[in-house]
mmCIF file of all heavy atoms in Angstrom:
data_model
loop_
_atom_site.group_PDB
_atom_site.id
_atom_site.type_symbol
_atom_site.label_atom_id
_atom_site.label_comp_id
_atom_site.label_asym_id
_atom_site.label_seq_id
_atom_site.Cartn_x
_atom_site.Cartn_y
_atom_site.Cartn_z
ATOM 1 N N GLY A 115 -2.457 99.017 -21.387
ATOM 2 C CA GLY A 115 -1.951 99.804 -22.467
ATOM 3 C C GLY A 115 -0.613 99.402 -22.951
ATOM 4 O O GLY A 115 -0.347 99.348 -24.138
ATOM 5 N N HIS A 116 0.291 99.093 -21.995
ATOM 6 C CA HIS A 116 1.683 98.712 -22.371
ATOM 7 C C HIS A 116 1.588 97.394 -22.986
ATOM 8 O O HIS A 116 2.360 97.083 -23.986
ATOM 9 C CB HIS A 116 2.599 98.629 -21.080
ATOM 10 C CG HIS A 116 2.832 100.001 -20.459
ATOM 11 N ND1 HIS A 116 3.094 101.108 -21.185
ATOM 12 C CD2 HIS A 116 2.802 100.380 -19.175
ATOM 13 C CE1 HIS A 116 3.276 102.161 -20.444
ATOM 14 N NE2 HIS A 116 3.156 101.686 -19.133
ATOM 15 N N MET A 117 0.718 96.430 -22.487
ATOM 16 C CA MET A 117 0.740 95.098 -23.225
ATOM 17 C C MET A 117 0.214 95.189 -24.570
ATOM 18 O O MET A 117 0.662 94.592 -25.520
ATOM 19 C CB MET A 117 -0.048 94.204 -22.252
ATOM 20 C CG MET A 117 -0.102 92.764 -22.906
ATOM 21 S SD MET A 117 1.543 92.000 -22.994
ATOM 22 C CE MET A 117 1.955 91.575 -21.355
ATOM 23 N N LEU A 118 -0.894 95.973 -24.784
ATOM 24 C CA LEU A 118 -1.456 96.151 -26.086
ATOM 25 C C LEU A 118 -0.448 96.765 -27.091
ATOM 26 O O LEU A 118 -0.356 96.361 -28.260
ATOM 27 C CB LEU A 118 -2.758 96.908 -26.002
ATOM 28 C CG LEU A 118 -3.932 96.298 -25.215
ATOM 29 C CD1 LEU A 118 -5.208 97.171 -25.270
ATOM 30 C CD2 LEU A 118 -4.167 94.913 -25.527
ATOM 31 N N ALA A 119 0.281 97.788 -26.580
ATOM 32 C CA ALA A 119 1.339 98.397 -27.363
ATOM 33 C C ALA A 119 2.370 97.382 -27.809
ATOM 34 O O ALA A 119 2.896 97.319 -28.957
ATOM 35 C CB ALA A 119 1.887 99.608 -26.768
ATOM 36 N N ALA A 120 2.752 96.626 -26.824
ATOM 37 C CA ALA A 120 3.764 95.571 -27.056
ATOM 38 C C ALA A 120 3.302 94.532 -28.087
ATOM 39 O O ALA A 120 4.121 94.110 -28.954
ATOM 40 C CB ALA A 120 4.257 94.873 -25.761
ATOM 41 N N ILE A 121 2.049 94.094 -28.005
ATOM 42 C CA ILE A 121 1.530 93.180 -28.868
ATOM 43 C C ILE A 121 1.505 93.824 -30.380
ATOM 44 O O ILE A 121 1.976 93.097 -31.351
ATOM 45 C CB ILE A 121 -0.020 92.853 -28.595
ATOM 46 C CG1 ILE A 121 0.026 92.032 -27.385
ATOM 47 C CG2 ILE A 121 -0.713 92.225 -29.720
ATOM 48 C CD1 ILE A 121 -1.396 91.860 -26.706
ATOM 49 N N ASP A 122 1.166 95.032 -30.436
ATOM 50 C CA ASP A 122 1.305 95.710 -31.796
ATOM 51 C C ASP A 122 2.728 95.901 -32.240
ATOM 52 O O ASP A 122 3.019 95.707 -33.493
ATOM 53 C CB ASP A 122 0.664 97.107 -31.788
ATOM 54 C CG ASP A 122 -0.936 96.969 -31.601
ATOM 55 O OD1 ASP A 122 -1.500 95.864 -31.898
ATOM 56 O OD2 ASP A 122 -1.591 97.982 -31.245
ATOM 57 N N GLU A 123 3.683 96.086 -31.366
ATOM 58 C CA GLU A 123 5.127 96.261 -31.688
ATOM 59 C C GLU A 123 5.635 94.944 -32.304
ATOM 60 O O GLU A 123 6.402 94.914 -33.199
ATOM 61 C CB GLU A 123 5.879 96.721 -30.574
ATOM 62 C CG GLU A 123 5.689 98.191 -30.200
ATOM 63 C CD GLU A 123 6.396 98.554 -28.938
ATOM 64 O OE1 GLU A 123 7.077 97.762 -28.288
ATOM 65 O OE2 GLU A 123 6.382 99.723 -28.590
ATOM 66 N N VAL A 124 5.243 93.768 -31.619
ATOM 67 C CA VAL A 124 5.672 92.495 -32.165
ATOM 68 C C VAL A 124 5.108 92.167 -33.498
ATOM 69 O O VAL A 124 5.747 91.551 -34.337
ATOM 70 C CB VAL A 124 5.386 91.460 -31.123
ATOM 71 C CG1 VAL A 124 5.771 90.004 -31.648
ATOM 72 C CG2 VAL A 124 6.064 91.689 -29.748
ATOM 73 N N GLY A 125 3.920 92.711 -33.755
ATOM 74 C CA GLY A 125 3.297 92.434 -35.177
ATOM 75 C C GLY A 125 2.646 91.121 -35.262
ATOM 76 O O GLY A 125 2.648 90.539 -36.382
ATOM 77 N N PHE A 126 2.069 90.572 -34.193
ATOM 78 C CA PHE A 126 1.273 89.418 -34.357
ATOM 79 C C PHE A 126 0.101 89.527 -35.391
ATOM 80 O O PHE A 126 -0.554 90.493 -35.378
ATOM 81 C CB PHE A 126 0.611 89.044 -32.915
ATOM 82 C CG PHE A 126 1.497 88.629 -31.921
ATOM 83 C CD1 PHE A 126 1.958 89.530 -30.967
ATOM 84 C CD2 PHE A 126 2.046 87.309 -31.929
ATOM 85 C CE1 PHE A 126 2.888 89.091 -29.955
ATOM 86 C CE2 PHE A 126 2.966 86.936 -30.915
ATOM 87 C CZ PHE A 126 3.359 87.769 -29.952
ATOM 88 N N ALA A 127 -0.006 88.431 -36.191
ATOM 89 C CA ALA A 127 -1.047 88.390 -37.217
ATOM 90 C C ALA A 127 -2.342 87.905 -36.527
ATOM 91 O O ALA A 127 -2.323 87.294 -35.487
ATOM 92 C CB ALA A 127 -0.611 87.503 -38.244
ATOM 93 N N GLU A 128 -3.455 88.134 -37.269
ATOM 94 C CA GLU A 128 -4.700 87.597 -36.755
ATOM 95 C C GLU A 128 -4.715 86.143 -37.074
ATOM 96 O O GLU A 128 -4.109 85.644 -37.981
ATOM 97 C CB GLU A 128 -5.915 88.303 -37.459
ATOM 98 C CG GLU A 128 -6.047 89.754 -37.206
ATOM 99 C CD GLU A 128 -6.340 90.001 -35.723
ATOM 100 O OE1 GLU A 128 -6.785 89.031 -34.973
ATOM 101 O OE2 GLU A 128 -6.281 91.159 -35.280
ATOM 102 N N PRO A 129 -5.370 85.327 -36.209
ATOM 103 C CA PRO A 129 -6.253 85.582 -35.086
ATOM 104 C C PRO A 129 -5.438 85.766 -33.768
ATOM 105 O O PRO A 129 -6.060 86.086 -32.702
ATOM 106 C CB PRO A 129 -7.207 84.436 -34.996
ATOM 107 C CG PRO A 129 -6.313 83.293 -35.479
ATOM 108 C CD PRO A 129 -5.432 83.882 -36.607
ATOM 109 N N VAL A 130 -4.148 85.661 -33.858
ATOM 110 C CA VAL A 130 -3.288 85.704 -32.635
ATOM 111 C C VAL A 130 -3.434 87.082 -31.940
ATOM 112 O O VAL A 130 -3.646 87.202 -30.773
ATOM 113 C CB VAL A 130 -1.739 85.354 -32.909
ATOM 114 C CG1 VAL A 130 -0.977 85.568 -31.694
ATOM 115 C CG2 VAL A 130 -1.689 83.960 -33.496
ATOM 116 N N ARG A 131 -3.264 88.153 -32.747
ATOM 117 C CA ARG A 131 -3.323 89.485 -32.169
ATOM 118 C C ARG A 131 -4.669 89.775 -31.383
ATOM 119 O O ARG A 131 -4.616 90.181 -30.282
ATOM 120 C CB ARG A 131 -3.342 90.515 -33.321
ATOM 121 C CG ARG A 131 -3.392 91.982 -32.766
ATOM 122 C CD ARG A 131 -3.246 92.937 -34.059
ATOM 123 N NE ARG A 131 -3.340 94.264 -33.580
ATOM 124 C CZ ARG A 131 -4.377 95.041 -33.381
ATOM 125 N NH1 ARG A 131 -5.590 94.417 -33.609
ATOM 126 N NH2 ARG A 131 -4.384 96.185 -32.986
ATOM 127 N N SER A 132 -5.796 89.437 -31.964
ATOM 128 C CA SER A 132 -7.110 89.572 -31.223
ATOM 129 C C SER A 132 -7.165 88.724 -29.957
ATOM 130 O O SER A 132 -7.702 89.163 -28.983
ATOM 131 C CB SER A 132 -8.255 89.326 -32.186
ATOM 132 O OG SER A 132 -8.314 90.284 -33.100
ATOM 133 N N ALA A 133 -6.657 87.432 -30.085
ATOM 134 C CA ALA A 133 -6.724 86.552 -28.940
ATOM 135 C C ALA A 133 -5.891 87.156 -27.785
ATOM 136 O O ALA A 133 -6.276 87.083 -26.631
ATOM 137 C CB ALA A 133 -6.239 85.103 -29.302
ATOM 138 N N LEU A 134 -4.636 87.639 -28.075
ATOM 139 C CA LEU A 134 -3.831 88.136 -27.039
ATOM 140 C C LEU A 134 -4.587 89.459 -26.486
ATOM 141 O O LEU A 134 -4.460 89.570 -25.219
ATOM 142 C CB LEU A 134 -2.491 88.511 -27.669
ATOM 143 C CG LEU A 134 -1.670 87.391 -28.107
ATOM 144 C CD1 LEU A 134 -0.367 87.908 -28.841
ATOM 145 C CD2 LEU A 134 -1.244 86.425 -26.996
ATOM 146 N N ARG A 135 -4.909 90.290 -27.325
ATOM 147 C CA ARG A 135 -5.545 91.571 -26.852
ATOM 148 C C ARG A 135 -6.793 91.276 -25.922
ATOM 149 O O ARG A 135 -6.889 91.872 -24.843
ATOM 150 C CB ARG A 135 -5.962 92.464 -28.017
ATOM 151 C CG ARG A 135 -4.670 93.019 -28.734
ATOM 152 C CD ARG A 135 -5.186 93.858 -30.008
ATOM 153 N NE ARG A 135 -5.791 95.080 -29.590
ATOM 154 C CZ ARG A 135 -5.234 96.271 -29.286
ATOM 155 N NH1 ARG A 135 -3.871 96.222 -29.313
ATOM 156 N NH2 ARG A 135 -5.959 97.222 -28.966
ATOM 157 N N GLU A 136 -7.689 90.397 -26.398
ATOM 158 C CA GLU A 136 -8.867 90.069 -25.541
ATOM 159 C C GLU A 136 -8.443 89.538 -24.217
ATOM 160 O O GLU A 136 -9.030 89.879 -23.180
ATOM 161 C CB GLU A 136 -9.739 89.098 -26.316
ATOM 162 C CG GLU A 136 -10.400 89.811 -27.523
ATOM 163 C CD GLU A 136 -11.109 88.769 -28.445
ATOM 164 O OE1 GLU A 136 -11.281 87.606 -28.003
ATOM 165 O OE2 GLU A 136 -11.400 89.125 -29.571
ATOM 166 N N TYR A 137 -7.538 88.528 -24.248
ATOM 167 C CA TYR A 137 -7.109 87.979 -22.897
ATOM 168 C C TYR A 137 -6.462 89.056 -21.967
ATOM 169 O O TYR A 137 -6.848 89.000 -20.806
ATOM 170 C CB TYR A 137 -6.034 86.827 -23.128
ATOM 171 C CG TYR A 137 -5.503 86.435 -21.768
ATOM 172 C CD1 TYR A 137 -6.267 85.649 -20.975
ATOM 173 C CD2 TYR A 137 -4.293 86.865 -21.384
ATOM 174 C CE1 TYR A 137 -5.782 85.365 -19.644
ATOM 175 C CE2 TYR A 137 -3.786 86.611 -20.129
ATOM 176 C CZ TYR A 137 -4.555 85.825 -19.239
ATOM 177 O OH TYR A 137 -4.049 85.525 -17.974
ATOM 178 N N PHE A 138 -5.607 89.789 -22.507
ATOM 179 C CA PHE A 138 -4.939 90.704 -21.488
ATOM 180 C C PHE A 138 -5.842 91.847 -21.053
ATOM 181 O O PHE A 138 -5.715 92.360 -19.922
ATOM 182 C CB PHE A 138 -3.645 91.306 -22.252
ATOM 183 C CG PHE A 138 -2.516 90.360 -22.202
ATOM 184 C CD1 PHE A 138 -2.013 89.876 -23.364
ATOM 185 C CD2 PHE A 138 -1.964 89.787 -21.072
ATOM 186 C CE1 PHE A 138 -1.051 88.828 -23.483
ATOM 187 C CE2 PHE A 138 -1.017 88.847 -21.120
ATOM 188 C CZ PHE A 138 -0.449 88.332 -22.296
ATOM 189 N N GLU A 139 -6.775 92.240 -21.879
ATOM 190 C CA GLU A 139 -7.716 93.236 -21.352
ATOM 191 C C GLU A 139 -8.594 92.602 -20.220
ATOM 192 O O GLU A 139 -8.885 93.266 -19.213
ATOM 193 C CB GLU A 139 -8.645 93.694 -22.530
ATOM 194 C CG GLU A 139 -7.921 94.656 -23.438
ATOM 195 C CD GLU A 139 -8.792 95.464 -24.421
ATOM 196 O OE1 GLU A 139 -9.934 95.696 -24.097
ATOM 197 O OE2 GLU A 139 -8.338 95.706 -25.528
ATOM 198 N N ARG A 140 -9.086 91.413 -20.472
ATOM 199 C CA ARG A 140 -9.841 90.637 -19.400
ATOM 200 C C ARG A 140 -8.981 90.430 -18.122
ATOM 201 O O ARG A 140 -9.411 90.658 -16.977
ATOM 202 C CB ARG A 140 -10.331 89.358 -19.913
ATOM 203 C CG ARG A 140 -11.493 89.360 -20.782
ATOM 204 C CD ARG A 140 -12.202 87.939 -20.963
ATOM 205 N NE ARG A 140 -11.233 86.857 -21.001
ATOM 206 C CZ ARG A 140 -10.671 86.374 -22.072
ATOM 207 N NH1 ARG A 140 -10.867 86.908 -23.273
ATOM 208 N NH2 ARG A 140 -9.875 85.428 -22.015
ATOM 209 N N ALA A 141 -7.769 89.917 -18.318
ATOM 210 C CA ALA A 141 -6.874 89.608 -17.275
ATOM 211 C C ALA A 141 -6.565 90.884 -16.377
ATOM 212 O O ALA A 141 -6.553 90.934 -15.135
ATOM 213 C CB ALA A 141 -5.637 88.977 -17.650
ATOM 214 N N GLY A 142 -6.340 92.002 -17.109
ATOM 215 C CA GLY A 142 -6.060 93.251 -16.391
ATOM 216 C C GLY A 142 -7.290 93.666 -15.552
ATOM 217 O O GLY A 142 -7.024 94.113 -14.368
ATOM 218 N N THR A 143 -8.366 93.507 -16.055
ATOM 219 C CA THR A 143 -9.593 93.865 -15.269
ATOM 220 C C THR A 143 -9.733 92.895 -14.106
ATOM 221 O O THR A 143 -10.139 93.342 -13.071
ATOM 222 C CB THR A 143 -10.848 93.875 -16.162
ATOM 223 O OG1 THR A 143 -10.649 94.809 -17.179
ATOM 224 C CG2 THR A 143 -12.158 94.207 -15.376
ATOM 225 N N PHE A 144 -9.509 91.633 -14.289
ATOM 226 C CA PHE A 144 -9.685 90.597 -13.275
ATOM 227 C C PHE A 144 -8.808 90.878 -12.091
ATOM 228 O O PHE A 144 -9.110 90.619 -10.948
ATOM 229 C CB PHE A 144 -9.368 89.287 -13.925
ATOM 230 C CG PHE A 144 -9.381 88.148 -12.953
ATOM 231 C CD1 PHE A 144 -10.447 87.651 -12.372
ATOM 232 C CD2 PHE A 144 -8.094 87.483 -12.607
ATOM 233 C CE1 PHE A 144 -10.491 86.576 -11.465
ATOM 234 C CE2 PHE A 144 -8.097 86.413 -11.756
ATOM 235 C CZ PHE A 144 -9.353 85.912 -11.176
ATOM 236 N N LEU A 145 -7.601 91.535 -12.354
ATOM 237 C CA LEU A 145 -6.659 91.827 -11.224
ATOM 238 C C LEU A 145 -6.863 93.060 -10.499
ATOM 239 O O LEU A 145 -6.218 93.286 -9.409
ATOM 240 C CB LEU A 145 -5.186 91.714 -11.856
ATOM 241 C CG LEU A 145 -4.790 90.415 -12.448
ATOM 242 C CD1 LEU A 145 -3.485 90.403 -13.066
ATOM 243 C CD2 LEU A 145 -4.839 89.303 -11.344
ATOM 244 N N ILE A 146 -7.852 93.805 -10.814
ATOM 245 C CA ILE A 146 -8.135 95.099 -10.025
ATOM 246 C C ILE A 146 -8.534 94.588 -8.680
ATOM 247 O O ILE A 146 -9.419 93.758 -8.500
ATOM 248 C CB ILE A 146 -9.275 95.917 -10.761
ATOM 249 C CG1 ILE A 146 -8.758 96.542 -11.987
ATOM 250 C CG2 ILE A 146 -9.789 97.019 -9.771
ATOM 251 C CD1 ILE A 146 -9.816 97.266 -12.773
ATOM 252 N N ASN A 147 -7.889 95.157 -7.679
ATOM 253 C CA ASN A 147 -8.249 94.855 -6.280
ATOM 254 C C ASN A 147 -8.337 96.004 -5.368
ATOM 255 O O ASN A 147 -8.381 95.943 -4.194
ATOM 256 C CB ASN A 147 -7.160 93.935 -5.745
ATOM 257 C CG ASN A 147 -5.758 94.579 -5.730
ATOM 258 O OD1 ASN A 147 -5.688 95.787 -5.729
ATOM 259 N ND2 ASN A 147 -4.719 93.785 -5.631
ATOM 260 N N HIS A 148 -8.463 97.182 -6.044
ATOM 261 C CA HIS A 148 -8.637 98.427 -5.183
ATOM 262 C C HIS A 148 -9.547 99.374 -6.023
ATOM 263 O O HIS A 148 -9.268 99.708 -7.218
ATOM 264 C CB HIS A 148 -7.281 99.096 -5.124
ATOM 265 C CG HIS A 148 -7.278 100.436 -4.345
ATOM 266 N ND1 HIS A 148 -7.428 100.510 -2.974
ATOM 267 C CD2 HIS A 148 -7.182 101.651 -4.776
ATOM 268 C CE1 HIS A 148 -7.402 101.808 -2.586
ATOM 269 N NE2 HIS A 148 -7.352 102.547 -3.736
ATOM 270 N N GLN A 149 -10.513 99.801 -5.406
ATOM 271 C CA GLN A 149 -11.492 100.752 -5.943
ATOM 272 C C GLN A 149 -11.283 102.131 -5.416
ATOM 273 O O GLN A 149 -11.159 102.196 -4.213
ATOM 274 C CB GLN A 149 -12.937 100.358 -5.727
ATOM 275 C CG GLN A 149 -13.297 98.980 -6.274
ATOM 276 C CD GLN A 149 -13.180 98.875 -7.820
ATOM 277 O OE1 GLN A 149 -13.511 99.891 -8.513
ATOM 278 N NE2 GLN A 149 -12.683 97.820 -8.293
ATOM 279 N N ALA A 150 -11.259 103.193 -6.176
ATOM 280 C CA ALA A 150 -11.151 104.490 -5.664
ATOM 281 C C ALA A 150 -12.432 104.846 -4.942
ATOM 282 O O ALA A 150 -13.580 104.411 -5.268
ATOM 283 C CB ALA A 150 -10.959 105.439 -6.869
ATOM 284 N N GLN A 151 -12.241 105.655 -3.926
ATOM 285 C CA GLN A 151 -13.452 106.039 -3.081
ATOM 286 C C GLN A 151 -14.169 107.288 -3.827
ATOM 287 O O GLN A 151 -13.521 108.203 -4.119
ATOM 288 C CB GLN A 151 -13.055 106.503 -1.726
ATOM 289 C CG GLN A 151 -12.419 105.446 -0.907
ATOM 290 C CD GLN A 151 -13.387 104.390 -0.506
ATOM 291 O OE1 GLN A 151 -14.580 104.599 -0.403
ATOM 292 N NE2 GLN A 151 -12.910 103.136 -0.429
#
């Protein structure tokens, strides 16, 4: 959420904006190493 907000604050134009958003959403999920019981 912080990264996506920062991307929007910087004002990246397309296709950069979408590429950044897609990468950081995937990377954030990839780094999950703890599951709630």
Side-chain angles (χ1 to χ4, degrees):
H116 293 318
M117 185 56 77
L118 298 183
I121 289 167
D122 288 345
E123 288 173 356
V124 175
F126 289 101
E128 293 296 347
V130 174
R131 180 179 180 273
S132 290
L134 294 173
R135 292 177 66 86
E136 289 169 18
Y137 170 74
F138 287 116
E139 287 192 32
R140 280 192 328 269
T143 300
F144 176 71
L145 295 176
I146 292 174
N147 61 20
H148 179 77
Q149 301 295 324
Q151 297 293 329

